[in-house]
Amino acid sequence: MLPNCPKMNLAVSSVLLLIFCLFQNGSFQNITSRPSTVNIGAIFAFNSTIGKAANVAISAAVEDVNSDPNILNGTKLVITPRNSNCSGFLGIIEALKMMEAETVAIVGPQCSSIAHIISYVADELKVPLVSFGATDPTLSPIQFPYFVRTTQSDLYQMAAVAAIVDLYQWKLVTAVYTDDEYGRNGIAALDDKLAERRCKISYQARLPPVPGQEDILDVLAKVTMKESRIIVVHVSSNGLAVFSVAQRLQMMSDGYVWIATDWLMSMLDSRAPLGNDIMDSLQGVIALRQHTPNSSSKRGLVSKWGALNKKYGNGVALNANTYGFYAYDSIWTVARALDRFFKIGGKIAFSNDSTLKDEVGGNLHVEAMRVFDQGKLLLDEIIKINFTGITGQVSFNPDRDLVNSSYDVLNIVGMGWRTIGFWSNSSGLSVVEPEKLYDKPKNFSLEQKLYPVIWPGGRVERPRGWVFPNNGELRVGVPDRVSFQQFVSYDEDTNTFKGFCVDVFLKAVELLPYPVPYRFVPFGDHKKNPNYTDLCNKVGTSFFDAAVGDIVITMNRTKVVDFTQPYIDSGLVVVAPVKRQKSNAWAFLQPFTLEMWCVIGGFFVVVGIVVWILEHRFNEDFRGPPKKQVATICWFSFSTLFFAHRENTVSTLGRGVLIIWLFVVLIIQSSYTASLTSILTVQQLTSPIQGIESLMASNDPIGYQTGSFAENYMVEELHIPRDRLKELTSPELYLQALEQGPGNGGVAAVVDEMSYVELFLATQCRFQVVGSEFTRSGWGFAFPKESPLAVDMSTAILSLAENGELQKIHDKWLKRSAACSSEANTDIEANRLHFDSFKGLFLICGLACIIALVVYLFIMLRQFIRHVPPDDQDPSGQASARSGRSFKSFLSFADERAPKSKSRSIKEKKELTNGIVGVES
């Protein structure tokens, strides 16, 4: 202990006195003291289901906060509830009244439409607006910086609805909703989420904000006339009446699917148990409910809810619902934020807004509205809040939505409901509770599943989800063709259709898992082929419900209709007359060009010279007189063509060159043989038109089939002048125009689809396809945009292709005839090898033989005259006898063996001597 010091005691006393004075002056009041009470406002509809639950929950939360010594450190919350009655006008009046009492925060409102209005007041007066019920996703912190949502945004709820629709592979949805901010903006979010999954809202049925029975009846009567049977109900009032009227209209029966947003479960949770008549109208409905974990704090609140309801519920028996839980947590959110606000030196102070003044003589007293000076500081603390409440983790993302958004997916059955799964913003649809997945990374690739559902009407199989418009049969437009009737034909007498396309459609309909009533309607004047683009436009405008025929799938047509999977491939090709190219005497020279022949001949000589150089000093076969060496070079090099060379190579370099050259010769020989075989055996056809490019470059007229898209394609895509195009209505006109040719009023070629061309060429073999297909397309059946039947028919067509039925139908109608059998025999005869193809070779060989014989005869005569002396002179002059003896002598001379040369005899002797020595050794 320090000794007593008078000076120190005096200093301490002075400091204490200064601090006391400062406290008295209020300088440190905002740091060291808190107000005894803080005013908080609450706005909701007292008589609504959500409002009644919120009233109990808010009162209970204020009581719990004020009784908790660990929060606010003695400061008490004073709640001032105001009844908005879900009226925008009353809501803003009550909010202005609340601001006169220096309110630091407002809990509510429950209605999205009122939240839009009050947010302007909150922003102006810098008072945080903490809403437990405004789920409108357009309530953005960018537009309304003082708006904080402590419940879940409908953006996530609509993502859950879209996930359910996609899970069951439905594509079209009908939306029934209240025509206010809550309904319109919620359904707009649903449309966006469905679009992400390639689904859509096909019809929007709007109800007044407070609909009557007649309003609901009129709206649902229109819904029954629509194609979709997937109905999403998103209403804010009188929602149970929607299902009651739907039951009267027999819309709660087999084939319908009803999905209700969380408004329904908030009513059922609060009012359960309900009467049999209400529950009967809800059988099979799928409903969503904001998910709240089953925690001990939640169970504790629920257990005492009855007592709280008696205390604060004004005598109305009402169960707890999720909105009540969020209202309870909203009070705790404000309380915890205020506690942090005071700890960092926040001060409750208000100031006048100079812009708020009454006009002279006015009675509004707007100057009484005061601005919360540190409202921004309190707002920041609310946004930073992070605690575990009744509803789970209370924490906000940058968009000021709760970080964990999840929903229970329920199926109403009997007098209650059962949970069939959950949806969360981290894992999608699952049968696992969301809180068990929060600690894991977000993963939407997990299997999306729900437990089995009992649908309206008591069925357990997945409903198809749509019906035919007006519940009637399909009006199917079928082109009334006058040519190529193997594809589609119409018999006016019997009013029947047949053909390849019709059979494919009938077989595909048989594979659908549901019956399809239909009626074929002819399209065309029975004089010429109809325009297929007009047929597709008829489907797009709902004049026809579908179109069946040889309809090409083009880009422009896909803008107005949906096509099925193509059931046949058919691109555009060019058909032109062709002539057979006859073989000639020099066909054997055609495999190689002149340049190639020269290169081959040159290399034969070069290789011979190279080998001679490499072998000359070592190899006796490459030695001798100059003439002999030149002959050896030529003989050796050219004999390698047939691998018939007899001269041995002894040097390593020579053998290396020879091996490479023999490989080259092998490749040349094989290539020559293959090319010559193709030239002599494959039918060679020629045409002045080589394909679409050469046809475009010319100025000759071009034929096309009436009604075909080929006309527009050539004009718009290939930029061929329309005056060059000639319409042809039948295969007979094809033949006539092609035979006449461009110079006699005909055409140079016909551009048409491959499927038609194959049928035409089956009987007209003087023409052929030149070039290749220059478009790739197919034929399909046309349906209105977004028609589910198009998808199911595509699946059926794929099944036909896989089981071989499609090929059988093709062979039945489009199998080629035997009309070209005589042409085929002619082709076989043309493919046989004739003398004309080889007479050049035989001519060369014959000339070589004749020249060799003449030279040989000349040499023999010369040797005969030189070596055989003339006979003695016959005095009798018998010339004929001498001629006979001379001829015989010449034949005897030619038959004798030529005498060996001296060098050759010496060489043979050496070889003989070497052989004898080898034997003796």
Side-chain angles (χ1 to χ4, degrees):
M1 178 179 293
L2 293 173
N4 292 331
C5 180
K7 292 183 178 180
M8 181 175 292
N9 291 337
L10 179 62
V12 171
S13 300
S14 301
V15 171
L16 292 176
L17 180 63
L18 177 62
I19 293 175
F20 175 78
C21 294
L22 290 174
F23 269 100
Q24 288 296 103
N25 293 332
S27 300
F28 289 164
Q29 185 175 354
N30 62 331
I31 300 176
T32 59
S33 68
R34 301 186 182 200
S36 59
T37 61
V38 176
N39 294 326
I40 296 177
I43 298 181
F44 50 88
F46 288 178
N47 293 325
S48 67
T49 300
I50 295 176
K52 291 176 182 179
N55 183 40
V56 175
I58 290 173
S59 300
V62 171
E63 179 181 333
D64 292 344
V65 168
N66 289 337
S67 61
D68 190 342
N70 298 320
I71 194 168
L72 289 179
N73 198 18
T75 300
K76 302 297 183 182
L77 293 182
V78 177
I79 190 75
T80 305
R82 296 286 183 177
N83 184 12
S84 67
N85 201 26
C86 282
S87 167
F89 176 74
L90 293 179
I92 195 168
I93 294 298
E94 297 298 333
L96 293 175
K97 289 180 179 180
M98 205 179 307
M99 293 305 169
E100 293 178 346
E102 296 187 346
T103 301
V104 299
I106 300 176
V107 176
Q110 73 184 65
C111 299
S112 297
S113 56
I114 299 177
H116 278 274
I117 299 172
I118 298 180
S119 291
Y120 290 106
V121 177
D123 292 345
E124 183 67 27
L125 301 181
K126 301 187 184 325
V127 176
L129 185 65
V130 182
S131 176
F132 61 86
T135 59
D136 180 0
T138 64
L139 286 166
S140 166
I142 299 176
Q143 182 182 9
F144 305 115
Y146 280 82
F147 175 82
V148 180
R149 190 189 341 255
T150 53
T151 187
Q152 298 182 35
S153 170
D154 276 343
L155 182 68
Y156 299 106
Q157 180 169 212
M158 296 311 170
V161 173
I164 295 172
V165 172
D166 185 54
L167 177 66
Y168 294 106
Q169 300 178 355
W170 298 314
K171 296 299 179 184
L172 300 180
V173 171
T174 295
V176 178
Y177 63 96
T178 305
D179 193 14
D180 57 9
E181 286 84 353
Y182 164 79
R184 284 193 303 270
N185 297 332
I187 294 303
L190 175 61
D191 199 21
D192 292 339
K193 293 300 180 181
L194 287 172
E196 292 176 3
R197 299 175 180 269
R198 305 182 70 84
C199 307
K200 66 174 292 187
I201 297 176
S202 60
Y203 180 68
Q204 296 186 11
R206 296 189 294 270
L207 291 170
V210 184
Q213 291 283 332
E214 292 299 323
D215 298 323
I216 298 173
L217 182 62
D218 292 342
V219 167
L220 293 186
K222 296 177 182 178
V223 171
T224 61
M225 305 301 292
K226 302 304 177 181
E227 185 177 1
S228 173
R229 286 294 182 262
I230 312 301
I231 303 173
V232 177
V233 183
H234 185 60
V235 296
S236 56
S237 63
N238 209 12
L240 292 178
V242 173
F243 292 100
S244 177
V245 174
Q247 188 179 34
R248 286 167 45 195
L249 296 175
Q250 298 183 349
M251 297 175 67
M252 302 302 298
S253 58
D254 186 16
Y256 282 88
V257 175
W258 291 84
I259 302 175
T261 53
D262 59 0
W263 67 268
L264 178 58
M265 288 311 303
S266 67
M267 298 185 68
L268 297 184
D269 287 336
S270 298
R271 300 182 181 182
L274 296 176
N276 292 337
D277 54 342
I278 295 178
M279 296 305 297
D280 286 344
S281 66
L282 297 174
Q283 294 301 300
V285 173
I286 292 179
L288 297 179
R289 177 172 61 196
Q290 295 176 344
H291 177 74
T292 55
N294 189 20
S295 62
S296 58
S297 58
K298 174 183 173 181
R299 291 192 298 269
L301 179 62
V302 172
S303 65
K304 63 180 182 180
W305 187 269
L308 293 171
N309 189 57
K310 290 180 180 180
K311 183 176 181 181
Y312 301 112
N314 299 322
V316 179
L318 200 69
N319 300 324
N321 60 35
T322 54
Y323 283 99
F325 297 149
Y326 282 108
Y328 183 90
D329 279 350
S330 297
I331 294 295
W332 276 95
T333 299
V334 174
R336 290 177 181 273
L338 281 170
D339 189 47
R340 293 169 56 91
F341 172 79
F342 290 132
K343 286 181 179 180
I344 62 175
K347 180 180 178 182
I348 305 298
F350 292 85
S351 59
N352 294 324
D353 188 347
S354 59
T355 61
L356 298 176
K357 292 182 179 179
D358 274 343
E359 296 293 334
V360 177
N363 296 319
L364 292 178
H365 302 292
V366 294
E367 68 275 2
M369 302 296 102
R370 306 181 71 193
V371 178
F372 182 18
D373 294 338
Q374 295 191 339
K376 179 64 169 61
L377 181 61
L378 178 59
L379 174 66
D380 292 340
E381 294 305 318
I382 292 175
I383 296 171
K384 295 176 185 177
I385 207 72
N386 187 0
F387 71 98
T388 301
I390 298 294
T391 59
Q393 182 182 3
V394 181
S395 180
F396 303 101
N397 62 22
D399 294 329
R400 297 188 191 172
D401 292 323
L402 294 174
V403 291
N404 296 324
S405 294
S406 56
Y407 289 85
D408 300 332
V409 184
L410 308 170
N411 183 206
I412 300 176
V413 181
M415 294 300 295
W417 48 86
R418 61 192 184 93
T419 301
I420 59 174
F422 308 91
W423 180 92
S424 72
N425 61 341
S426 60
S427 59
L429 293 173
S430 174
V431 294
V432 181
E433 293 181 349
E435 54 268 21
K436 296 180 180 179
L437 302 174
Y438 287 151
D439 295 335
K440 299 179 181 180
K442 287 189 177 183
N443 186 7
F444 286 91
S445 63
L446 295 175
E447 181 183 5
Q448 303 290 291
K449 63 179 296 186
L450 296 173
Y451 288 120
V453 179
I454 299 177
W455 305 100
R459 69 179 296 173
V460 294
E461 298 84 7
R462 179 187 72 91
R464 185 175 65 193
W466 59 274
V467 295
F468 301 110
N470 302 318
N471 291 317
E473 61 184 5
L474 292 178
R475 294 185 72 250
V476 181
V478 184
D480 185 6
R481 294 191 60 88
V482 297
S483 63
F484 296 110
Q485 294 188 337
Q486 295 92 330
F487 296 104
V488 179
S489 63
Y490 171 57
D491 189 341
E492 287 185 303
D493 297 333
T494 60
N495 194 30
T496 57
F497 294 84
K498 61 182 180 179
F500 169 73
C501 303
V502 175
D503 280 5
V504 172
F505 176 79
L506 297 178
K507 286 292 183 180
V509 168
E510 292 177 2
L511 295 179
L512 295 178
Y514 46 83
V516 178
Y518 60 88
R519 177 169 56 91
F520 287 142
V521 179
F523 178 73
D525 57 7
H526 205 63
K527 296 179 181 179
K528 64 178 183 179
N529 295 335
N531 188 293
Y532 283 68
T533 300
D534 292 342
L535 176 59
C536 291
N537 291 334
K538 292 286 186 181
V539 176
T541 58
S542 300
F543 182 84
F544 290 128
D545 299 315
V548 171
D550 46 339
I551 307 171
V552 182
I553 303 173
T554 65
M555 181 187 67
N556 290 332
R557 293 173 183 174
T558 57
K559 295 177 181 179
V560 294
V561 296
D562 278 349
F563 284 97
T564 62
Q565 171 80 15
Y567 57 86
I568 189 173
D569 295 328
S570 184
L572 289 178
V573 294
V574 178
V575 180
V578 293
K579 295 181 180 180
R580 292 180 177 83
Q581 183 178 2
K582 295 183 179 180
S583 182
N584 57 65
W586 307 105
F588 69 92
L589 296 175
Q590 293 180 7
F592 293 148
T593 62
L594 177 61
E595 179 186 16
M596 185 65 178
W597 280 117
C598 294
V599 171
I600 291 173
F603 262 88
F604 272 115
V605 176
V606 169
V607 170
I609 294 173
V610 171
V611 173
W612 176 82
I613 294 173
L614 297 174
E615 296 288 326
H616 178 66
R617 294 188 60 194
F618 312 102
N619 196 334
E620 290 294 334
D621 291 339
F622 291 88
R623 298 186 65 84
K627 291 183 179 181
K628 178 185 176 183
Q629 294 185 48
V630 171
T632 301
I633 291 172
C634 295
W635 163 255
F636 176 81
S637 60
F638 284 97
S639 63
T640 56
L641 178 61
F642 311 102
F643 306 99
H645 55 286
R646 300 180 63 183
E647 292 79 9
N648 295 322
T649 53
V650 298
S651 67
T652 303
L653 293 176
R655 289 176 178 177
V657 171
L658 183 60
I659 289 174
I660 296 173
W661 175 243
L662 290 178
F663 178 75
V664 174
V665 169
L666 175 64
I667 300 300
I668 293 174
Q669 189 183 61
S670 301
S671 302
Y672 177 84
T673 303
S675 180
L676 183 61
T677 302
S678 175
I679 290 173
L680 296 178
T681 58
V682 177
Q683 186 179 6
Q684 303 296 310
L685 303 176
T686 60
S687 171
I689 303 298
Q690 300 300 319
I692 188 63
E693 292 81 7
S694 60
L695 192 60
M696 292 169 57
S698 68
N699 293 318
D700 296 332
I702 305 170
Y704 68 93
Q705 183 183 176
T706 301
S708 172
F709 83 103
E711 177 188 11
N712 289 335
Y713 182 84
M714 287 188 287
V715 173
E716 297 174 2
E717 300 296 333
L718 303 182
H719 307 292
I720 297 176
R722 194 177 295 273
D723 56 10
R724 286 184 56 192
L725 305 182
K726 185 174 182 179
E727 185 180 60
L728 304 173
T729 58
S730 65
E732 292 74 20
L733 290 179
Y734 280 24
L735 175 62
Q736 180 181 344
L738 288 171
E739 286 180 338
Q740 289 176 347
N744 299 315
V747 296
V750 171
V751 174
D752 206 350
E753 297 170 56
M754 178 60 82
S755 299
Y756 304 121
V757 169
E758 287 177 345
L759 287 181
F760 175 71
L761 296 181
T763 56
Q764 304 297 332
C765 301
R766 290 174 292 170
F767 313 99
Q768 282 202 1
V769 174
V770 293
S772 59
E773 287 184 276
F774 55 92
T775 65
R776 294 288 182 180
S777 58
W779 295 352
F781 304 133
F783 292 91
K785 296 291 288 184
E786 307 297 339
S787 172
L789 189 56
V791 178
D792 293 342
M793 285 292 288
S794 295
T795 304
I797 290 171
L798 289 174
S799 299
L800 289 177
E802 291 176 358
N803 62 26
E805 193 66 32
L806 189 60
Q807 185 61 42
K808 293 179 181 178
I809 301 174
H810 181 278
D811 294 340
K812 172 185 174 182
W813 290 99
L814 307 179
K815 192 174 182 179
R816 289 198 175 199
S817 65
C820 290
S821 58
S822 60
E823 283 289 337
N825 293 333
T826 304
D827 292 343
I828 293 174
E829 182 65 26
N831 289 338
R832 294 176 178 175
L833 301 180
H834 295 274
F835 172 72
D836 289 343
S837 300
F838 299 94
K839 62 184 181 181
L841 286 174
F842 288 116
L843 178 61
I844 293 175
C845 185
L847 290 175
C849 293
I850 293 173
I851 293 173
L853 288 175
V854 170
V855 172
Y856 178 75
L857 182 60
F858 175 76
I859 294 173
M860 291 299 296
L861 287 173
R862 182 179 174 187
Q863 291 179 354
F864 176 73
I865 295 172
R866 182 182 302 174
H867 293 89
V868 179
D871 294 338
D872 298 336
Q873 297 295 326
D874 188 353
S876 61
Q878 295 179 352
S880 58
R882 286 199 305 270
S883 299
R885 287 196 300 269
S886 298
F887 182 71
K888 290 180 179 181
S889 299
F890 175 74
L891 292 178
S892 299
F893 176 78
D895 186 54
E896 291 178 356
R897 182 177 181 180
K900 297 181 180 179
S901 63
K902 183 177 181 180
S903 60
R904 185 173 180 181
S905 299
I906 295 173
K907 183 177 180 181
E908 289 180 352
K909 287 179 180 181
K910 288 182 180 180
E911 291 177 353
L912 180 60
T913 303
N914 292 336
I916 294 173
V917 172
V919 171
E920 291 177 350
S921 61

